[in-house]
Amino acid sequence: MLNKNVCPNCGQLFDTELSKCPLCGTAPQVVDTADPVQRKRITEAERRQRRADRKEAEQEARRRRRDAQFIQDADEERLLEEEEARRKEEKRRLKEEKKAAKRAEQALAEEAEPTDGLLPPDPAFTASPARDGRGPMPEEPVRRDRRSVPRIFLILSAVLLSAALLVGGSYLLWKLDVVELSVYDELAAGKNAAATQVPGGENGESLPADSGSAERPNDGSSVPCTGITLGQTSLSFDTLGAQTQIDVTLSPAGTTDERSFSSSDESVVKVSPVGIVTVTGSGSAVITVRCGSQSAECAVSCELTEEPVSTAAPLNVTELELVKDDMTFNAAGENFVLSVTNIPVGTPVEWKSLDEEVCTVDAGGHVVAVGPGTTRVFAIVGDLEAFCWVRCRFE
């Protein structure tokens, strides 16, 4: 085959010395013998760089989709709230229109009804008694106005109104210390006892309030604080992120002064408005508790012996789990401590609130209600994150 040509017309084999095909006379086809273009081989470093660029582009695309989803969810929540408000306003307007129409009908009916409360006489009963020769006509029946209110309803209304006036007057006299009524004293004592639980423990459980809020005077007078007793005068920690509650007892028990907490060095420890201490670094600091003109101090020492934990999430964790994924506050100042349940103790967690006008969150996951609205609080550990819906339902 090395000395043979193939005719492109009829496929006949003939010697390369011949200039034409002996069968059909066609010249042999000239084949381009140039070397083919060789593909450029990339190096291993270029291949790794391409994979890194592709991974970074995918992460950026995921981040953009996540941010877009956050914005879309917030917009949907806002639209739902606006739609609910619009429906309530429409329902209230329809109710007002029905009441106005009913009042107008009643006014027209009162103007048209007879002054004696009876219907006009029927002409069939006012004819001549002797029209048919069978004696006098029957007496005209008395017809009652169907719109008149039954007497029993009037009596019940009067009794209820009298009872309401009696209860309201007695409560006003008790409030002004004119009379002493044990019923209202017991109700006030039960309300104060229920207010002695303050939310905001380490896992969100209720914490006992200080004794100064157990009983408050009902006459509006102020009772100054005369002493503060701390359950712990010194604290020591060896774990980053550790938390504890400072026990505070105020004297007298019915003081009206408000207590407050402060830390001398928040890079070592932070303290929440309800007395939850959170370790933020090594060193020493002083927690000061104030109530009126009184104050007390608690020394805190933080000697962290553990190695710092990497900010990347553990390899065996694919998603973060929060102790709660939805919470509702009914008053400003209510609080809750969020935590991640499926990571080692001491792992640094970054907390973030999307709207700090609705709620705030500190480095220890302590969420405090600020204003009405709905937002989300995020927990971020390395490349992983989780969020909790926070709804503040108050004016």
Side-chain angles (χ1 to χ4, degrees), residues 192-200 205-216 229 245-250 253 258-259 261 273-275:
N192 290 332
T196 59
Q197 294 294 325
V198 178
E205 69 275 7
S206 296
L207 296 173
D210 60 90
S211 59
S213 61
E215 295 181 359
R216 301 283 177 147
T229 304
Q245 171 76 35
I246 297 181
D247 298 329
V248 181
T249 302
L250 303 180
E258 298 294 336
R259 65 178 185 175
F261 299 84
V274 294

Side-chain angles (χ1 to χ4, degrees), residues 239-242 265-270 278-282 302 304 363-364:
T239 304
L240 182 66
D265 190 353
E266 293 192 349
S267 64
V268 178
V269 289
K270 289 185 177 181
T278 304
V279 178
T280 58
S282 298
C302 300
L304 306 183

Side-chain angles (χ1 to χ4, degrees), residues 160-180:
L160 292 176
L161 181 60
S162 302
L165 291 175
L166 179 61
V167 172
S170 63
Y171 178 77
L172 181 60
L173 294 176
W174 172 80
K175 195 71 175 176
L176 297 175
D177 290 338
V178 177
V179 296
E180 295 183 0

Side-chain angles (χ1 to χ4, degrees), residues 53 88-89 132 169 172 228 332 359 381 390:
D53 294 343
K88 289 182 179 180
E89 180 64 21
D132 54 0
L172 181 60
I228 300 177
C359 73
V381 179
V390 179

Side-chain angles (χ1 to χ4, degrees), residues 230-249:
L230 301 183
Q232 309 93 342
T233 57
S234 63
L235 296 172
S236 61
F237 300 95
D238 60 359
T239 304
L240 182 66
Q243 292 182 332
T244 188
Q245 171 76 35
I246 297 181
D247 298 329
V248 181
T249 302

Side-chain angles (χ1 to χ4, degrees), residues 8-128:
N9 186 26
C10 63
Q12 176 67 30
L13 295 175
F14 59 93
D15 294 335
T16 56
E17 297 177 355
L18 300 177
S19 60
K20 295 183 180 180
C21 175
L23 185 62
C24 63
T26 303
Q29 184 176 2
V30 179
V31 179
D32 189 5
T33 60
D35 294 335
V37 178
Q38 297 294 330
R39 291 176 54 188
K40 180 181 179 182
R41 297 180 61 86
I42 62 176
T43 63
E44 184 63 25
E46 292 175 343
R47 185 177 293 107
R48 286 197 298 268
Q49 182 63 32
R50 290 184 181 181
R51 285 198 297 264
D53 294 343
R54 185 164 56 251
K55 184 176 180 180
E56 183 179 357
E58 292 176 354
Q59 291 179 350
E60 181 65 23
R62 285 198 300 269
R63 188 177 298 107
R64 290 182 180 179
R65 288 196 298 270
R66 184 173 63 247
D67 294 342
Q69 185 65 34
F70 292 162
I71 296 174
Q72 182 179 357
D73 292 343
D75 291 341
E76 291 178 357
E77 183 74 15
R78 179 179 56 80
L79 291 176
L80 289 176
E81 292 179 354
E82 292 178 355
E83 181 66 19
E84 182 67 19
R86 188 190 63 78
R87 285 199 298 268
K88 289 182 179 180
E89 180 64 21
E90 183 68 17
K91 186 182 294 185
R92 186 193 63 78
R93 187 182 62 79
L94 292 176
K95 187 180 294 186
E96 292 294 335
E97 291 179 355
K98 288 182 180 179
K99 288 183 179 179
K102 188 174 181 180
R103 287 195 296 267
E105 291 178 359
Q106 290 179 354
L108 292 176
E110 291 175 357
E111 293 178 358
E113 67 181 2
T115 57
D116 56 357
L118 301 178
L119 295 175
D122 192 345
F125 294 95
T126 57
S128 175

